[in-house]
Amino acid sequence: MLKLLQNEWMKIIKRPGTFVMMGLLLVTVVLMGGIIKYQSQDEKPNPNWKLEIQTTIAEQKQNLVQMENVPKGQREYLEKSIAINEYRLEHNLAPNGEYAIWSFVQDASSLIQLAGLFTIIVAAGIVASEFNWGTIKLLLIRPTSRSKILLAKYTTVISFALLMLTLLFGFSTLVGWIAFGMPEQSTPYLNYFAGKVTEESMVFHLIKFHGLSSISMIMLSTMAFMISAVFRNSSLAIGLSIFLMFTGAQFTNLIAIKFDWAKYILFANTDLMQYFEGMPLVEGMTLPFSVSMLVVYFVLFHSLAFFVFRKRDVAA
Amino acid sequence: MTGIVQLQNVTKTIKGKTIIDSLSFEVNKGEVFGFLGPNGAGKTTTIRMMVGLIGITSGDIKIGGNSIQSNFEQAVSRIGAIVENPEMYKFLTGYENLIHFARLSNKVDKQKIDEVVKLVNLSDRIHDKVKNYSLGMRQRLGVAQALLHDPEVLILDEPTNGLDPAGIREMRDHLKMLTREKGLAVIVSSHLLSEMEMMCDRIAILQKGKLVDVQTIQDFKNGVDHVVEFNVVPVDKALVIIQALGIPARKGEAGLTCKINKEDIPSIVKSLTTENINVYGIKEVTKSLEERFLEVTEEREVSLYA
Ligand SMILES: Nc1ncnc2c1ncn2[C@@H]1O[C@H](COP(=O)(O)OP(=O)(O)OP(=O)(O)O)[C@@H](O)[C@H]1O
Ligand SMILES: [Mg+2]
């Protein structure tokens, strides 16, 4: 099995595309750091922040009263904003107090999408490319079962995802540290969940956030992998997965407004952050529910991939 | 002795179409077995079934007694193969490709890799990327990967495709060496007869998915009819005389041609000279193997649609 993994990694590393991906990730993080640094130069901590926040709270409260029929999402956003701002006033915590390393890592975490994109590209190609190249014929006539080969390929996808996440976390920590330095005093992260605001250590929050975000990334990659193994077509796998990555959540949100069964859709469950911050998409959804749904989808994708890959005639 | 490769009533049906129809034959150790047939006869399909790339609809294929269906890993570890073109990872070097395939079978070490590289004469280019290889070099690399794990059976689908005359000769010598010295069974497919003639010990002729015949190359050649050409004047009169003897004959380019055995020549000459026909020459026209092959496959075609 170790040898199979070595093989898969050799095929990934020896292609220039892989370094382009890593390079792009690094460049984007650096670019982001540069832009934020440039913008924050003329942004000084506002001594009158308390006054400012009070006005905002008043405005938002009025909005809330005026718009009785605003969509649920918007209401929640306002409620959250008000709650957090009130907490700031109470505990004397200035907003955008000091922009330092962890603030940057937090901002850069939006690039998890990019890491996810690259992982999907790798997942979509790892089986289908062997068919395109014709090398599948030489790969499958060895005393190694098809299941083992497929398992090695999937394991490689997961380790690639982890590598991407680690690189992103590493790059952004490094860039954040160089550009913004360590904070003089640690600012806590304010978490709003179920109407309550709590303080959290920033580092803990970031690790939790990256970990939970990777779940969505891994599910999408698993889907791309399945499409790749079943249809043997990498363009289809890449196209469909990326399309769903960018639109799946929105579609699910739209459906969730009208129908309860939206909670069975994959994308309603990939964002586990909803159980730690904010509100679940559909009322009554719980963390165990989402985890079981994810397991069901995971098993489904793999059953499909293994069943078809083991059985099909290879006439490439 | 039973063959190392056994095909037993192998049939392949794809979407209701029978592509291979009840194929049975055996290949022994130490022989080069040719798989001959026109385009679309089903050579590649049969080879794909032998190496387990596609399923077998009915029947079975055994390699050294192990069924490729029920005992895949045992069976396939005895086979080295190239199926159609030897497609390799173009972004890897030849050497990395070999390492890749070596990792997929147990017990292949670096020494073995160097050995096969030397055998196929690729030593000076083995560290180049495969995308810079010529077709012939890829073919050699293909043979190298097939020999990595010391297989007992070597299956090559159109191995001389893309090789220059020197390369073809070299390949032929390799195959002879592998069968004679190492006792391998080699199966090669081709539609080039001249090549098969020089390379193979036995050939199976495949036509529209059916086995037409399995013969040693010697028997195959002997099956060629003897056609004798008589250079005679006047031709028309001679034709009448010969036909009167009950021998099929017709006017050819340089006189008369007739299908007879060698022993009949003197009596025919006697008849012709007594009738005052001038005989300028007698020539035996052996058909080329090519013609014989076309003949065999066409006969088959005729009988199929008769
Ligand atoms: N996947 C498939 N679906 C339908 N028909 C197929 C499939 N694969 C092969 N065939 C048909 O089976 C027949 C045999 O094909 P095969 O490739 O085995 O021929 P071949 O003897 O190798 O020919 P060539 O000399 O051109 O390489 C052809 O008529 C082909 O169209
Ligand atoms: Mg073929």
Side-chain angles (χ1 to χ4, degrees), chain B residues 265-284:
Chain B
I265 296 177
S267 65
I268 292 175
V269 174
K270 208 172 273 170
S271 312
L272 290 173
T273 43
T274 49
E275 296 285 340
N276 280 332
I277 307 269
N278 296 324
V279 181
Y280 292 97
I282 302 166
K283 201 167 71 185
E284 202 180 340

Side-chain angles (χ1 to χ4, degrees), chain A residues 19 132 144 186 196 223 248 254 307 316:
Chain A
F19 291 99
N132 287 347
T144 307
S186 60
K196 272 216 239 119
M223 189 176 76
L254 282 181
F307 177 74

Side-chain angles (χ1 to χ4, degrees), chain A residues 200-242:
Chain A
E200 252 177 25
S201 133
M202 203 65 183
V203 178
F204 174 73
H205 166 75
L206 287 173
I207 289 173
K208 189 173 77 177
F209 185 78
H210 278 77
L212 291 175
S213 303
S214 63
I215 288 177
S216 145
M217 177 174 160
I218 282 170
M219 286 308 291
L220 276 168
S221 309
T222 307
M223 189 176 76
F225 181 79
M226 180 271 288
I227 299 173
S228 171
V230 170
F231 297 100
R232 299 160 179 204
N233 183 330
S234 57
S235 330
L236 179 75
I238 293 178
L240 197 58
S241 307
I242 291 179

Side-chain angles (χ1 to χ4, degrees), chain A residues 315, chain B residues 14-15 17 19 37-46 84 157-158 191:
Chain B
I14 300 181
K15 295 189 196 103
K17 216 177 110 204
I19 290 175
N39 289 133
K43 303 181 293 290
T44 302
T45 306
T46 309
E84 283 187 323
D157 198 1
E158 312 202 6
H191 38 240

Side-chain angles (χ1 to χ4, degrees), chain A residues 129-190:
Chain A
S129 299
E130 300 275 0
F131 283 88
N132 287 347
W133 297 329
T135 44
I136 189 79
K137 289 181 300 194
L138 293 178
L139 194 60
L140 295 186
I141 58 169
R142 312 282 151 181
T144 307
S145 72
R146 292 192 186 188
S147 309
K148 237 176 164 176
I149 287 180
L150 199 62
L151 182 64
K153 285 188 174 295
Y154 184 69
T155 313
T156 307
V157 169
I158 296 303
S159 45
F160 185 82
L162 291 181
L163 175 73
M164 279 301 186
L165 278 175
T166 316
L167 280 181
L168 176 62
F169 197 79
F171 284 163
S172 52
T173 310
L174 193 71
V175 170
W177 183 59
I178 292 171
F180 307 103
M182 285 292 180
E184 276 154 34
Q185 85 220 41
S186 60
T187 349
Y189 176 78
L190 296 183

